[in-house]
């Protein structure tokens, strides 16, 4: 799979660990920054990642900020994005199964590398269930208009 990843200063360490993990598993990762602890604005990085998702240059995106909250809010302002904050592997599976999320967000200050790997694996293994969930996704997407 081809995956876009971006983070702010609060999430760059976890992003880099997860990037290496995904590459070791054979995935192509587009690292969109940031790569230091220098303060940056997470909306800028959410936009960079989500543009790659919307344009279909990648299969999905992963965003990381300190809590995962701010960057997920920013991501969901972009037409075509359904970003779910994933504090656990169970929620990661559900955001794919029920919401067909095309971006996931993690909290760099609250997610261990092991948890992050499990969250990503769970999301990637899940399949969108369609049916009544498709009706709900359609309604979510209609809110953009």
């Amino acid at each position: 799979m081809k995956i876009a990843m971006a983070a702010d200063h609060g999430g760059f360490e976890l992003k880099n660990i997860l990037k290496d993990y995904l590459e070791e598993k054979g995935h192509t990762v587009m690292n969109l920054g940031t790569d230091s602890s220098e303060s940056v604005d997470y909306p800028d990085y959410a936009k960079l990642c989500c543009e790659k998702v919307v344009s279909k240059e990648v299969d999905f995106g992963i965003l990381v900020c300190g809590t995962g909250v701010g960057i997920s809010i920013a991501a969901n302002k972009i037409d075509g994005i359904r970003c779910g904050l994933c504090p656990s592997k169970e929620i990661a599976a559900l955001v794919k199964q029920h919401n067909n999320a095309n971006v996931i967000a993690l909290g760099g200050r609250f997610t261990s590398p092991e948890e992050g790997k499990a969250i990503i694996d769970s999301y990637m293994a899940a399949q969108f269930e369609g049916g009544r969930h498709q009706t709900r996704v359609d309604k979510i997407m209609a809110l953009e208009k």
Side-chain angles (χ1 to χ4, degrees):
M1 295 192 100
K2 192 165 186 183
I3 303 154
M5 294 186 80
D8 73 354
H9 55 280
F12 85 95
E13 288 182 14
L14 181 61
K15 174 193 57 89
N16 289 343
I17 291 167
L18 298 176
K19 175 189 149 312
D20 292 346
Y21 173 72
L22 288 165
E23 288 175 341
E24 288 169 8
K25 292 183 79 168
H27 301 289
T28 301
V29 178
M30 186 181 295
N31 180 5
L32 301 167
T34 193
D35 288 306
S36 80
S37 60
E38 183 178 329
S39 182
V40 295
D41 297 328
Y42 56 78
D44 299 333
Y45 291 89
K47 183 176 188 266
L48 287 172
C49 180
C50 291
E51 286 174 344
K52 302 298 182 189
V53 173
V54 171
S55 70
K56 308 246 188 259
E57 291 177 59
V58 297
D59 297 301
F60 71 97
I62 300 171
L63 296 170
V64 189
C65 72
T67 64
V69 174
I71 207 162
S72 66
I73 290 170
N76 281 312
K77 296 293 184 181
I78 298 170
D79 284 357
I81 296 298
R82 289 175 310 284
C83 179
L85 176 58
C86 297
S88 70
K89 65 182 184 175
E90 293 82 9
I91 290 174
L94 288 169
V95 300
K96 182 65 172 183
Q97 293 166 345
H98 292 187
N99 308 113
N100 203 16
N102 50 12
V103 178
I104 61 172
L106 293 91
R109 295 183 181 131
F110 298 93
T111 307
S112 72
E114 295 75 25
E115 290 170 324
K117 292 171 186 178
I119 287 166
I120 290 171
D121 287 344
S122 181
Y123 170 83
M124 291 177 70
Q127 298 294 316
F128 180 53
E129 294 176 358
R132 72 181 190 274
H133 302 296
Q134 182 63 59
T135 302
R136 295 168 185 158
V137 168
D138 292 343
K139 288 182 177 186
I140 291 168
M141 301 312 291
L143 295 172
E144 294 178 351
K145 295 174 179 32

